[in-house]
């Protein structure tokens, strides 16, 4: 449809129709109202009459439901304006790939794109037109359950991965039947929830927000995301949904975002619980004033926007702006020509969970796995005949992770199934040993597990937290393995040291006890549909681990929040090159460093950083320094290494972070092979937000190092003139 035709359509719409475009309800309302007209609607405070005007819906179940609901809607809507169908396609639609925290560990934006394209293809066939992804909340506290949705504690990596998702989901043309519109979320700083408790208040300086929390949202906007969702939390006292600084000043004015803004689920209604107002009319006024185009689930717009316009709080032109944005999105998706965006039941069946998609999910699970520790036991010899699998995840199908959309546990391959398929000759014994809930205290299964371990050539301990211990509303105050799993592991490892631990987790856990006795620890996160096959390939060397930690694993929960890019204190301790002081910034007993830092991750081969050269050691703001890093594979198998380049501003007017990632590249090397990776360093990469909230660089000395957090392999210095 031409833009002029959209404007003509808008001009023909009544005010009720326009307000309808701003409403989003759960799809079950349309299904439920058939049986019971007044029940759900009266609870929502809207009349049935309004249903036909509704502009979008969320949480439906595949193509059949979508097609039926859209068809019935089009029969009733006076201008036949299709509804938008939205869903949380976070790490797959039906074929589930690793949780974002895991996938981020791949440090591979091309892999992220491949997974996102697969998800877009399945989801579009299943009736989805908009996905509430990417989630790029910057995080530092593993107690928060939603860390599983992010790529961790680095603003740059978060931005790169978020932008990759936007580009892949949206493709070159939204009208393409395999493209979805994206909605970046949760703007802003939801990950700063105090003490890692979900929905909790966030108090952050503007400088820190701009330095660490905001860049990834901006990267997604620059990548072209068509939608954005404000966060549930209050930011410096004002809920994001109605925060004028955030929503008007930064988003619309500074960044020029012209896409559609949708509130989070019931966030306008929750302004009452937040203690901002005692009535929905006020809530509607504040939400609309702050640029929220679509109201998700609560119905303050439906109930009060017309009245607010009649009273002069807004004029109809403001309403028209929001409606036009939504109509433009529908038009960009081609919905006026095909309201189903290519979805069909047959197509959904054809494209979902195909062998090709399973292969992508398997590759992603393999490349997301992080080998945290290995004393040479892994990989196991595939000629092994007697294997014992121990632990609550040994034969567990619930390994998709939270936010798994239409994925089903029954589609998942367990560790046992994966190993049995890879090694049909092997005898596999399974002993669960114990449960994985926080209050599981039953140790009665441990003796049998120990006996089974003694009897085996190799032991694989499959441990972790249940998949619903992370994700929305799932914060934890204790980050150790839930229940008696550590006790189980200790007993089993005392019986047989030819053993490896496989971890299933939605967040970094405190593994200090386990680390003492486990010869090898391989973290699979929640690996998704193909988890068991990926686990088997990794354990027996068919795949070589190459993931790197993107969120620090604390030694103790009291270290949280813990992150690699922290500012220097005046009395530092714990980092090799710092001067120690009698009264240092330090935790008695466990120190400052995490158990596994950002960027750490082993391989079955070894890599040597042979050289790092800078083509100049002095630069002006106009120059570029070329950094060349030569890496050699010094081991005996092919492997992938992520070359990570870190910067440290030695002295600046705002306390600089001890290190920050500024570039990375993942390379593959055969045994004995060497490669030289080059990075360009230019002045914008040296900028920071100073005390006056200006984004500047300052002349002076900088260190560049290659390696990983707190572990420089080679360091070089240069000067900005
Ligand atoms: C609430 C969550 O915070 C958000 O991430 C999600 O997109 C919406 N619910 C819709 O499911």
């Amino acid at each position: 449809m031409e833009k002029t035709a959209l404007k003509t359509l808008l001009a023909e719409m009544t005010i009720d129709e326009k307000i309808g475009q701003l409403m989003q309800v759960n799809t079950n309302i349309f299904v439920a109202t058939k049986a019971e007209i007044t029940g759900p609607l009266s609870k929502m405070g809207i009349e049935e009459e309004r249903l036909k005007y509704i502009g979008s819906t969320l949480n439906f179940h595949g193509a059949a439901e979508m097609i039926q609901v859209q068809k019935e809607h089009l029969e009733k809507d006076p201008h036949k304006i299709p509804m938008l169908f939205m869903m949380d396609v976070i790490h797959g639609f039906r074929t589930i790939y690793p949780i974002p925290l895991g996938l981020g560990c791949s440090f591979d934006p091309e892999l992220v794109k491949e997974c996102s394209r697969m998800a877009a293809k399945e989801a579009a066939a299943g009736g989805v037109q908009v996905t509430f992804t990417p989630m790029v909340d910057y995080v530092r506290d593993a107690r928060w359950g939603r860390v599983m949705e992010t790529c961790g504690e680095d603003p740059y990596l978060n931005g790169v991965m978020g932008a990759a998702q936007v580009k892949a989901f949206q493709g070159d043309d939204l009208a393409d039947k395999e493209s979805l519109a994206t909605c970046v979320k949760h703007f802003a700083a939801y990950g700063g929830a105090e003490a890692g408790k979900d929905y909790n208040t966030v108090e952050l300086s503007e400088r820190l927000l701009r330095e660490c929390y905001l860049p990834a949202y901006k990267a997604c906007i620059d990548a072209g995301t068509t939608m954005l969702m404000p966060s549930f939390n209050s930011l410096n006292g004002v809920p994001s949904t109605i925060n004028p600084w955030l929503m008007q000043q930064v988003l619309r004015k500074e960044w020029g975002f012209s896409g559609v803004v949708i509130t989070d689920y019931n966030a306008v209604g929750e302004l009452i619980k937040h203690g901002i107002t005692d009535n929905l009319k006020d809530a509607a006024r504040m939400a609309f004033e702050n640029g929220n185009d679509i109201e998700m689930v609560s119905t303050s717009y439906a109930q009060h926007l017309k009245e607010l316009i009649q009273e002069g709080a807004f004029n109809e032109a403001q309403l028209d702006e929001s409606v036009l944005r939504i109509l433009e999105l529908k038009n960009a998706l081609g919905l006026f020509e095909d309201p189903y965006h290519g979805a069909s039941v047959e197509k959904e069946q054809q494209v979902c969970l195909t062998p090709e998609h399973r292969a992508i999910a398997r590759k992603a699970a393999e490349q997301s796995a992080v080998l945290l520790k290995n004393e040479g036991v892994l990989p196991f010899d595939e000629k092994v005949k007697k294997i014992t699998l121990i632990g609550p995840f040994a034969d567990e199908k619930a390994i998709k992770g939270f936010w798994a959309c239409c994925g089903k546990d029954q589609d998942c391959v367990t560790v046992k199934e994966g190993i049995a398929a890879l090694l049909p000759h092997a005898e596999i014994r399974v002993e669960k040993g114990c449960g994985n809930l926080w209050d599981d205290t039953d140790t009665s299964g441990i003796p049998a597990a120990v006996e089974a371990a003694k009897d085996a050539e190799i032991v694989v301990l499959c441990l972790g937290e249940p998949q619903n211990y992370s994700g929305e509303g799932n914060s934890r105050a204790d980050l150790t393995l839930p229940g008696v799993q550590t006790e189980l592991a200790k007993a089993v490892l005392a019986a047989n040291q030819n053993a490896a631990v496989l971890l299933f987790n939605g967040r970094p856990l405190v593994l200090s006890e386990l680390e003492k006795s486990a010869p090898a620890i391989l973290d699979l996160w929640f690996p998704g549909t193909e988890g068991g096959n990926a686990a088997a390939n990794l354990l027996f060397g068919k795949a070589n681990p190459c993931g790197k930690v993107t969120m620090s694993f604390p030694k103790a929960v009291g270290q949280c929040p813990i992150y690699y890019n922290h500012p220097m204190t005046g009395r530092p301790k714990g980092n090799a090159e710092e001067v120690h002081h009698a009264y240092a910034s330090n935790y008695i007993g466990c120190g400052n460093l995490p158990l596994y830092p950002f960027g750490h991750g082993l391989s079955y081969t070894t890599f040597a950083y042979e050289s790092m050269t800078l083509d100049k050691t002095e630069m002006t703001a106009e120059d570029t320094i070329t950094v060349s890093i030569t890496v050699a594979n010094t081991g005996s198998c092919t492997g992938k290494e992520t070359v990570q380049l870190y910067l440290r501003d030695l002295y600046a007017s705002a306390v600089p972070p001890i290190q920050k990632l500024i570039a990375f590249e993942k390379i593959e090397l055969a045994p004995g092979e060497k490669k030289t990776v080059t990075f360009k360093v230019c002045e914008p990469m040296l900028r920071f937000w100073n005390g006056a909230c200006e984004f500047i660089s300052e002349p002076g000395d900088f260190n560049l190092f290659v390696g990983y957090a707190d572990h420089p392999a080679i360091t070089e210095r240069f000067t900005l003139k």
Side-chain angles (χ1 to χ4, degrees):
M1 204 187 265
E2 293 295 320
K3 190 151 186 180
T4 48
L6 283 183
K7 290 210 166 140
T8 310
L9 169 63
L10 182 64
E12 286 171 6
M13 289 165 73
T14 64
I15 192 160
D16 287 329
E17 283 179 79
K18 290 177 188 174
I19 291 170
Q21 290 301 311
L22 275 47
M23 290 175 66
Q24 177 166 101
V25 295
N26 276 298
T27 312
N28 65 8
I29 294 300
F30 301 102
V31 183
T33 45
K34 283 194 183 150
E36 156 100 85
I37 305 252
T38 49
L41 291 179
S42 65
K43 257 192 245 144
M44 289 165 65
I46 54 170
E47 319 89 57
E48 202 208 343
E49 174 67 11
R50 288 206 169 263
L51 270 189
K52 62 174 182 259
Y53 302 138
I54 285 176
S56 61
T57 183
L58 84 164
N59 292 340
F60 56 101
H61 304 91
E65 189 172 284
M66 178 268 173
I67 290 166
Q68 179 206 330
V69 171
Q70 184 77 297
K71 196 164 162 286
E72 288 172 7
H73 167 78
L74 290 170
E75 282 161 12
K76 293 184 201 140
D77 184 281
H79 283 96
K80 310 224 166 304
I81 303 173
M83 276 202 293
L84 278 167
F85 286 74
M86 308 196 187
M87 201 117 106
D88 291 281
V89 185
I90 308 294
H91 53 116
F93 177 73
R94 179 73 192 269
T95 310
I96 304 302
Y97 48 90
I99 57 170
L101 187 62
L103 194 57
C105 296
S106 72
F107 276 76
D108 188 345
E110 287 311 309
L111 179 66
V112 170
K113 283 187 186 164
E114 197 178 353
C115 288
S116 306
R117 277 194 298 270
M118 163 178 86
K121 188 173 179 176
E122 291 192 358
V128 184
Q129 296 147 3
V130 176
T131 170
F132 299 122
T133 212
M135 189 281 214
V136 290
D137 297 334
Y138 174 72
V139 291
R140 293 174 163 181
D141 196 326
R143 290 173 292 180
W144 193 46
R146 301 196 76 169
V147 302
M148 54 87 38
E149 294 171 58
T150 79
C151 289
E153 69 194 34
D154 182 65
Y156 170 65
L157 180 69
N158 256 344
V160 170
M161 296 311 208
Q165 290 174 67
V166 169
K167 288 196 176 129
F169 270 108
Q170 296 199 153
D172 295 330
D173 181 4
L174 279 183
D176 188 297
K177 303 292 186 250
E178 293 182 0
S179 294
L180 303 187
T182 58
C183 177
V184 62
K185 66 190 187 186
H186 309 85
F187 189 65
Y190 187 22
E194 202 175 79
K197 197 163 63 175
D198 204 5
Y199 315 119
N200 211 0
T201 189
V202 177
E203 291 283 333
L204 290 171
S205 71
E206 180 178 343
R207 201 188 76 76
L208 181 57
L209 271 166
R210 291 193 183 269
E211 189 73 40
C212 292
Y213 287 79
L214 299 188
Y217 308 109
K218 177 68 165 47
C220 294
I221 288 173
D222 292 345
T225 185
T226 39
M227 289 184 61
L228 175 139
M229 183 190 292
S231 51
F232 279 132
N233 56 283
S234 65
L235 179 63
N236 297 332
V238 184
S240 298
T241 314
I242 56 154
N243 190 312
W245 178 78
L246 203 56
M247 302 303 292
Q248 298 185 46
Q249 173 61 29
V250 177
L251 182 67
R252 296 287 196 197
K253 290 206 185 90
E254 275 180 43
W255 295 355
F257 181 66
S258 58
V260 175
V261 171
I262 182 166
T263 71
D264 204 344
Y265 201 99
N266 196 35
V268 185
E270 287 167 18
L271 291 173
I272 296 174
K273 290 257 167 64
H274 257 300
I276 289 285
T277 176
D278 66 354
N279 66 84
L280 263 190
K281 184 173 169 186
D282 235 10
R285 182 184 52 73
M286 290 184 281
F288 190 67
E289 202 165 74
N290 277 286
N292 292 282
D293 299 310
I294 301 179
E295 179 181 11
M296 189 193 289
V297 174
S298 51
T299 56
S300 76
Y301 285 6
Q303 296 185 57
H304 301 292
L305 213 50
K306 190 168 166 183
E307 193 186 340
L308 284 163
I309 291 172
Q310 282 160 354
E311 289 169 7
F314 309 104
N315 54 47
E316 205 169 330
Q318 284 166 280
L319 175 63
D320 286 356
E321 267 180 47
S322 284
V323 177
L324 191 59
R325 270 198 282 268
I326 296 161
L327 295 179
E328 279 170 351
L329 173 56
K330 293 183 175 183
N331 196 34
L333 283 159
L335 297 189
F336 290 102
E337 288 75 33
D338 174 8
Y340 309 101
H341 195 57
S344 76
V345 174
E346 302 71 50
K347 196 161 152 196
E348 185 180 13
Q349 274 162 3
Q350 273 161 22
V351 303
C352 286
L353 220 56
T354 58
E356 295 75 35
H357 285 190
R358 279 188 173 273
I360 295 171
R362 183 161 64 247
K363 179 170 75 174
E366 289 165 3
Q367 310 236 348
S368 303
V370 185
L371 184 59
L372 295 169
K373 178 178 179 185
N374 189 14
E375 286 174 344
V377 280
L378 288 180
F380 289 129
D381 184 348
E382 53 183 323
K383 290 199 254 350
V384 69
K385 290 200 184 67
K386 262 186 149 185
I387 304 171
T388 292
L389 306 180
I390 295 172
F393 285 93
D395 198 13
E396 175 60 64
K397 284 196 173 276
I399 54 171
K400 309 182 309 295
F402 205 92
W403 290 120
C405 205
C406 296
K408 296 185 174 22
D409 286 350
Q410 76 215 38
D411 298 334
C412 291
V413 179
T414 72
V415 175
K416 183 191 171 200
E417 289 165 349
I419 296 179
L422 183 70
L423 308 177
H425 63 271
E427 179 193 320
I428 304 171
R429 179 167 169 191
V430 172
E431 284 294 337
K432 190 170 173 195
C434 66
N436 60 3
L437 301 179
W438 68 270
D439 55 353
D440 269 330
T441 51
D442 184 3
T443 54
S444 62
I446 296 182
V450 170
E451 284 317 303
K454 283 185 187 154
D455 188 39
E457 282 170 73
I458 62 167
V459 173
V460 183
L461 271 155
C462 304
L463 310 174
E465 44 173 20
Q467 55 185 358
N468 62 358
Y469 274 26
S470 54
E472 189 175 348
N474 297 317
S475 299
R476 290 186 65 199
D478 171 12
L479 295 181
T480 56
L481 283 164
V484 295
Q485 293 183 83
T486 306
E487 205 177 315
L488 168 73
K490 275 191 194 163
V492 165
L493 291 167
N496 191 338
Q497 273 280 296
N498 200 19
V501 174
L502 279 185
L503 280 183
F504 295 81
N505 47 325
R507 55 160 64 76
L509 296 172
V510 170
L511 301 172
S512 306
E513 277 306 299
L514 185 69
E515 142 92 12
K516 289 181 196 151
S517 50
I521 306 176
L522 179 61
D523 197 344
L524 293 182
W525 308 103
F526 283 106
T529 315
E530 282 290 302
N533 286 330
N537 286 345
L538 288 158
L539 287 169
F540 294 94
K542 296 279 178 209
N544 190 351
C546 59
K548 304 281 186 188
V549 168
T550 59
M551 192 172 182
S552 306
F553 279 63
K555 282 186 184 148
V557 72
Q559 285 183 321
C560 292
I562 182 168
Y563 49 98
Y564 85 97
N565 43 358
H566 57 88
M568 288 300 299
T569 69
R571 293 186 171 189
K573 183 171 182 177
N575 297 302
E577 59 180 83
E578 303 309 333
V579 180
H580 287 212
H581 193 284
Y583 299 103
S585 172
N586 186 36
Y587 291 113
I588 295 168
C590 77
N592 297 331
L593 295 178
L595 185 63
Y596 302 117
F598 182 88
H600 164 75
L602 305 169
S603 164
Y604 294 153
T605 190
T606 46
F607 299 100
Y609 284 85
E610 294 198 334
S611 64
M612 172 158 112
T613 55
L614 278 51
D615 70 340
K616 50 176 106 56
T617 53
E618 286 191 351
M619 71 183 280
T620 65
E622 287 71 43
D623 283 341
T624 299
I625 292 182
T626 302
V627 185
S628 306
I629 296 155
T630 301
V631 191
N633 181 341
T634 50
S636 53
C637 61
T638 297
K640 288 187 175 171
E641 170 72 340
T642 298
V643 182
Q644 305 162 44
L645 186 66
Y646 292 85
L647 178 85
R648 173 156 178 193
D649 190 345
L650 294 184
Y651 300 98
S653 59
V655 177
I658 188 159
Q659 56 209 335
K660 76 176 191 190
L661 184 73
I662 55 167
F664 63 87
E665 190 177 328
K666 192 166 185 177
I667 52 171
E668 185 169 57
L669 294 172
E673 195 185 359
K674 284 183 191 178
K675 270 186 191 157
T676 300
V677 172
T678 58
F679 296 114
K680 304 273 184 206
V681 176
C682 52
E683 184 272 338
M685 294 161 94
L686 312 181
R687 292 186 194 167
F688 63 95
W689 291 90
N690 69 8
C693 267
E694 297 153 333
F695 193 47
I696 57 158
S697 63
E698 290 173 349
D701 289 344
F702 296 80
N703 275 357
L704 277 177
F705 79 81
V706 65
Y708 61 98
D710 298 310
H711 293 74
I714 311 176
T715 305
E716 293 292 342
R717 185 160 298 183
F718 70 92
T719 308
L720 174 69
K721 300 292 258 182

